[in-house]
Amino acid sequence: MFRIWIGTLVIPALMLLYAALSALFPNALGYPRALPIQLKKVANGIFLPWLWKLALAFAALSFMLMQSTRLMEENPQRLIAFAVMLAEALLAAAVVIPVERVLGEQAENEPAEITVTEQAAAKVNLLLNVGRKREDGYHELVSVMQTVGVYDTVTVTAHTGGGIHLTCDEPNLATDETNLCYKAAVKFFTYTGTENDGVSIDLQKRLPMQAGLGGGSADAAAVLRAMRRLYAPDLSDEELETMAAELGSDVPFCVRGGMALACGRGEELTVLSPLPACWFVLVKPEAAFSTGKMYGLIDQRRCYDEDGADAMLAALKAGDLKAVCAAMGNTFERILPPDSEIFAIQHRLRDLGALSAMMSGSGSAVFGVFDDEDRARMACSALRGTYPASFCGKSE
Ligand code: C5P
């Protein structure tokens, strides 16, 4: 008798299997139609719960009918079982067709691609004490970092064309899988388990490279933020920072920006209250410093700074910009020759009204701190004659 009824359980069993596999691979399976990623999520949200609820209802119905007809002859039982299978198929279609119609209309209005744009802001190190080399090859840092309102622009488009494609207006920057933005996209997909239907990243570079302004790190962090908006809006900042730490030491800070104390190799962040409003002039001379080489020079000369950030933190707590400037410091400046262009730029910035000036990160960009916007903008224009890569931005 069970053989007659087994056919009626095939449809619910397949439905349950499909619902379970779709929960594991929502982008590859799920609602059986190519849809833009956000719409696919909506469709899955409607379709999958119905799928398994209906499957259970069908299975229960077929079991009840099997029980109540078990005393009948085989032929009428076969007829009823066949009618049940037909009813299951019709009912399943009756659920899918209206949903399909609504989603079809939505899909026509919805673009096949979704694009989001994120700004990738520069950072400066108000304080950067480089300590000894650790066993993992990194150096112990105590750093106070501040975001400055000068940006690269990162545009990320989710589509259904497959792959990861990176374009950039700066011809000297590799756009293959060695680029940190590309690595950020791969990291995001792997970490979140999101299926990659296709993503394009466009990078408009404004921030100079090998400058110590965190341009590459800010771009990677902007890719992570953009992808969160596209694929996983519920992801926390902390989770994004965990992914970011695997991309580079400065990337976690760039996820949130603002003002933070960074310790460890740069990834242990404590958010600090913002600086009193001020303006930064960023100047990048032609000389470019490689971060790895600069750390190597510190090791060669054993020129380590083991101090904490007490004076800087006290100045920040008091909201005293002059005291912040007095507490600024950067270990990398100690390995520069006294006639370095870096010091000449610092003198010019001070002459033009900066409260203080310092190299950012491992260089070669120098920043000046101003408490007056007009003075900062005039200094920036004056410096642009000699250093075309000069920028002015507010603390953020
Ligand atoms: O982490 P990230 O890739 O940005 O670091 C670039 C290079 O800077 C590393 O390869 C390492 O040589 C050096 N570095 C370091 N100690 C740190 C951060 C970076 O020695 N805390």
Side-chain angles (χ1 to χ4, degrees), residues 187-208:
K187 179 72 62 194
F188 185 92
F189 284 130
T190 329
Y191 183 92
T192 59
T194 306
E195 201 86 22
N196 177 18
D197 284 343
V199 71
S200 296
I201 302 165
D202 180 58
L203 177 56
Q204 298 289 314
K205 279 296 297 172
R206 187 159 177 248
L207 301 174

Side-chain angles (χ1 to χ4, degrees), residues 137-141 247-250 264-266 291-292 295:
Y138 286 92
H139 293 75
E140 205 58 48
L141 301 183
L247 294 166
S249 308
D250 286 345
R265 76 176 167 94
T291 306
Y295 275 107

Side-chain angles (χ1 to χ4, degrees), residues 49-315:
W50 270 105
L51 197 63
W52 69 260
K53 277 181 202 160
L54 261 185
L56 292 179
F58 287 170
L61 184 75
S62 118
F63 183 74
M64 272 157 49
L65 280 168
M66 183 174 77
Q67 286 299 319
S68 48
T69 57
R70 70 183 192 282
L71 299 176
M72 284 181 175
E73 292 291 313
E74 281 205 354
N75 275 347
Q77 274 203 50
R78 258 196 203 100
L79 209 63
I80 297 172
F82 180 73
V84 170
M85 280 194 314
L86 199 66
E88 284 176 348
L90 289 176
L91 254 167
V95 169
V96 171
I97 287 167
V99 179
E100 169 73 14
R101 220 181 33 228
V102 173
L103 285 169
E105 279 166 17
Q106 280 250 5
E108 271 169 30
N109 302 331
E110 193 91 7
E113 305 180 338
I114 305 179
T115 296
V116 297
T117 298
E118 285 282 334
Q119 304 281 47
K123 64 89 185 145
V124 291
N125 301 81
L126 294 174
L127 182 71
L128 179 52
N129 289 341
V130 180
R132 270 159 220 287
K133 199 172 184 174
R134 312 188 314 192
E135 292 206 334
D136 61 4
Y138 286 92
H139 293 75
E140 205 58 48
L141 301 183
V142 174
S143 171
V144 173
M145 295 201 266
Q146 166 70 51
T147 309
V148 177
V150 180
Y151 315 94
D152 287 343
T153 304
V154 176
T155 305
V156 181
T157 303
H159 52 78
T160 48
I164 298 174
H165 299 280
L166 178 61
T167 48
C168 179
D169 63 347
E170 164 57 63
N172 295 323
L173 197 64
T175 50
D176 56 12
E177 63 283 351
T178 59
N179 187 295
L180 204 55
C181 287
Y182 193 106
K183 289 183 184 169
V186 173
K187 179 72 62 194
F188 185 92
F189 284 130
T190 329
Y191 183 92
T192 59
T194 306
E195 201 86 22
N196 177 18
D197 284 343
V199 71
S200 296
I201 302 165
D202 180 58
L203 177 56
Q204 298 289 314
K205 279 296 297 172
R206 187 159 177 248
L207 301 174
M209 297 185 283
Q210 293 204 306
L213 296 172
S217 304
D219 297 340
V223 168
L224 293 179
R225 286 197 307 271
M227 293 185 73
R228 168 167 66 181
R229 283 169 61 192
L230 285 170
Y231 299 104
D234 297 333
L235 218 57
S236 66
D237 284 341
E238 287 73 16
E239 279 174 293
L240 231 51
E241 283 164 7
T242 305
M243 286 179 238
E246 292 172 25
L247 294 166
S249 308
D250 286 345
V251 190
F253 167 75
C254 297
V255 167
R256 271 189 271 197
M259 153 82 81
L261 171 71
C263 297
R265 76 176 167 94
E267 84 291 18
E268 292 168 18
L269 299 175
T270 311
V271 177
L272 301 175
S273 47
L275 264 186
C278 61
W279 285 263
F280 290 90
V281 174
L282 313 176
V283 183
K284 163 72 173 55
E286 250 184 51
F289 298 168
S290 143
T291 306
K293 280 192 187 145
M294 292 297 276
Y295 275 107
L297 283 173
I298 286 190
D299 291 332
Q300 258 177 32
R301 302 193 196 159
R302 309 199 60 72
C303 177
Y304 301 115
D305 258 327
E306 314 267 63
D307 296 341
D310 293 351
M312 176 60 80
L313 294 179

